[in-house]
Amino acid sequence: MSVELDVFVGNTTIMDEEVYQFWLDGYTVNDAVKVRMEGGVLEECEASAEVLRSDTMDQYRTFQMCERLLHSPAKLANQLLFQIPPHRQVMLIERYYTFDGVFVREVLGKKLSKGTKKDLDDVSAKTGVTLKSCRRQFDNFKRVFKVVEELKGPLVENIRQHFLLSDKLARDYAAIVFFANNRFETGKKKLHYLTFQDFAFCAGQLISNWTVGALDNMVEDMDVDLEKEFLQDLKELKILITDKDLLDQHKSLVCTALRGKTKAFNEMEANFKNLSRSLVNIAAKLTNTKDVRDFFIDLVEKFIEPCRSDKWTAGDMRLYLTHYTNSAHILDTFKHQVVWDRYMGVIKSCILKMYHD
C-alpha cells in the first residue's frame, strides 16, 4: 500500500503567535485546537481537524523546548537548534515574561517563596488565570528577583539587560522586585481599589528618590533597599508638629494660599493639624521595618480616607499638597528643607496616584 506525503523542508522555525499565547495561558492542546477551530482556521487554511491538532501539538513541543532558553533570554540569540528571526525572539521573550495584572496584584509584596507558591491554586481560582500560567508568572518573578539581587547598578537597567525586556516591562518587574524585597502590605481590604499599575508607579517614585541608588548608582542592592540614613533624617521633620509655633505658622501660610481657591477650604483649615501630624508621623516611623511594610495602608487610612470623606477632588488634593510642601520653605526656623523636599516629592506623587475621587 503506497502512502503519499507532502513534505516541506525549511530552516526557519514556524511559530504561530496565537498558539504561543494559548500555550502561555496554560491551555491544553485540545482546548487550543477547539478555540482555533471556532476562529475559522480550518476554512482559512483548508486543513482537516487532524492536521490542525498535529500542527498545534508540534508547536507546543517547540515552545516547551524553547522554554529553558527563555529562562536566560540571552541564550536564545546564541543557540543553533532553532532558527528564529530576531524580531520573533523579541516577541517570544516579551510575551513569556508578560504577566496578568489580576495575578500580580494577588502576590505583590509577598515573599517569593515555596509557601506563596503553594497558595497559587487559590490565586488561580480567584483570578481565573490557569494554574499553569500562575506558576510560570510566579517563577518568572522569582527568577528575576534572584538574578538582580546579586547585581550592582540601576535595577531597571539590570533587568532590561539580563532579560532583554522592553523598558515598560523592565520597570514593572523592578516594582515587583522592590515590593517583594520590602514586603509592602498590599492585600488589606482598604487597598483593594488600587491596581498593580498604581503600586508600580509608586515603586518607581520610591526607587528613584528614597533608595541608596538615588544618590549613588553603583552601590550594592542600590535600588532595592531604602536608604537608612535618609529614613533616620526623616525623624527631624517631627519639629513641624511638635513645635506649636511652627505648626501654627505652617497652617497660616497654607490656609492663606488656599483661601478662595477651593470649595473644600473650610475642611482643609479645620483638619490641617491632624493631616500634617499624619504625614509627618508616617515619615518619622519609617525606620521601623513594620512601618515600612504598612506605608501604603498608613497613607490610605491616615490621609487619603479623611480627605475623601470631606469630598476633596483630585484637584483639591494637588492644590493642598503643593502649598503644604512649598510653605515649609518660608518657615524661618525650619532647617530640613532638603529632607522635606525628598520626602514630600514622593508622598505627593504617590497620594495623587492613589487618590481616586
Side-chain angles (χ1 to χ4, degrees):
M1 177 183 167
S2 64
V3 180
E4 286 189 13
L5 293 173
D6 289 326
V7 178
F8 172 78
V9 178
N11 66 350
T12 301
T13 305
I14 296 171
M15 293 177 171
D16 185 298
E17 289 188 28
E18 184 185 41
V19 179
Y20 183 50
Q21 196 59 53
F22 292 145
W23 178 73
L24 290 174
D25 290 342
Y27 281 52
T28 63
V29 170
N30 288 341
D31 287 341
V33 169
K34 187 180 174 190
V35 177
R36 293 183 82 189
M37 287 176 72
E38 288 169 355
V41 72
L42 293 184
E43 291 76 17
E44 276 178 44
C45 304
E46 298 180 354
S48 67
E50 289 79 14
V51 168
L52 185 64
R53 179 177 169 77
S54 177
D55 172 67
T56 306
M57 284 181 69
D58 185 50
Q59 294 207 49
Y60 266 47
R61 275 193 294 268
T62 301
F63 300 141
Q64 280 156 6
M65 287 190 285
C66 281
E67 188 163 20
R68 63 183 178 79
L69 298 170
L70 290 165
H71 291 171
S72 304
K75 291 180 180 176
L76 199 61
N78 300 320
Q79 53 80 39
L80 301 173
L81 186 60
F82 303 103
Q83 300 300 308
I84 306 171
H87 72 280
R88 276 286 156 125
Q89 291 180 26
V90 170
M91 181 275 293
L92 289 174
I93 295 164
E94 191 79 0
R95 288 217 192 162
Y96 187 79
Y97 283 91
T98 295
F99 50 81
D100 292 289
V102 287
F103 171 73
V104 70
R105 187 63 188 80
E106 291 297 316
V107 299
L108 189 66
K110 292 183 179 174
K111 204 171 181 182
L112 299 175
S113 63
K114 288 179 182 175
T116 306
K117 194 170 183 179
K118 283 179 186 173
D119 297 334
L120 292 184
D121 294 55
D122 297 334
V123 174
S124 172
K126 183 177 177 181
T127 60
V129 179
T130 65
L131 182 57
K132 188 177 178 187
S133 184
C134 285
R135 285 177 175 155
R136 171 182 61 81
Q137 294 177 53
F138 183 82
D139 287 343
N140 285 346
F141 298 160
K142 194 171 177 180
R143 185 179 311 112
V144 172
F145 184 96
K146 280 192 163 182
V147 168
V148 298
E149 73 173 339
E150 304 299 328
L151 299 172
K152 290 182 180 182
L155 184 56
V156 174
E157 188 59 24
N158 283 339
I159 293 171
R160 211 171 56 74
Q161 286 188 1
H162 280 77
F163 292 93
L164 309 182
L165 304 180
S166 65
D167 185 66
K168 172 71 174 74
L169 194 53
R171 288 182 187 284
D172 284 347
Y173 268 90
I176 293 164
V177 168
F178 185 69
F179 268 71
N181 182 70
N182 291 286
R183 305 286 301 283
F184 289 108
E185 173 59 62
T186 67
K188 292 273 176 70
K189 193 174 180 182
K190 287 183 177 181
L191 297 175
H192 283 183
Y193 78 97
L194 294 168
T195 66
F196 167 71
Q197 288 303 331
D198 290 334
F199 282 120
F201 172 84
C202 294
Q205 293 294 309
L206 289 160
I207 288 169
S208 297
N209 296 286
W210 288 6
T211 60
V212 182
L215 302 176
D216 180 350
N217 68 2
M218 283 309 287
V219 182
E220 298 276 1
D221 295 337
M222 57 150 287
D223 281 349
V224 181
D225 296 327
L226 297 173
E227 189 202 336
K228 288 184 172 60
E229 192 176 334
F230 167 65
L231 299 183
Q232 200 64 44
D233 288 344
L234 288 175
K235 289 181 180 294
E236 304 292 344
L237 302 182
K238 285 206 81 168
I239 194 169
L240 283 171
I241 56 173
T242 55
D243 184 316
K244 188 177 181 305
D245 288 342
L246 264 184
L247 182 58
D248 289 340
Q249 279 181 55
H250 197 190
K251 178 180 177 179
S252 175
L253 287 167
V254 173
C255 291
T256 299
L258 291 172
R259 188 172 278 107
K261 293 180 181 172
T262 167
K263 291 177 182 176
F265 175 77
N266 290 339
E267 290 79 7
M268 290 178 177
E269 186 177 41
N271 290 332
F272 178 88
K273 290 183 179 179
N274 285 336
L275 292 175
S276 189
R277 285 188 189 103
S278 294
L279 290 183
V280 173
N281 282 328
I282 288 171
K285 293 193 302 179
L286 286 175
T287 48
N288 303 320
T289 305
K290 185 190 180 303
D291 289 302
V292 169
R293 288 182 186 174
D294 288 342
F295 176 69
F296 292 99
I297 193 75
D298 284 345
L299 280 183
V300 168
E301 285 184 348
K302 295 171 182 176
F303 193 85
I304 290 173
E305 283 187 344
C307 298
R308 196 182 283 142
S309 69
D310 282 339
K311 300 195 166 43
W312 292 23
T313 64
D316 290 335
M317 180 63 82
R318 182 178 296 278
L319 191 68
Y320 179 87
L321 289 173
T322 298
H323 288 297
Y324 178 74
T325 304
N326 294 345
S327 295
H329 287 265
I330 311 169
L331 298 169
D332 292 338
T333 56
F334 182 60
K335 306 296 183 190
H336 308 288
Q337 315 287 7
V338 175
V339 175
W340 175 249
D341 284 345
R342 191 175 169 189
Y343 175 66
M344 281 306 301
V346 169
I347 290 294
K348 179 183 174 184
S349 296
C350 289
I351 288 175
L352 290 175
K353 188 69 175 175
M354 294 163 68
Y355 193 72
H356 303 176
D357 58 355

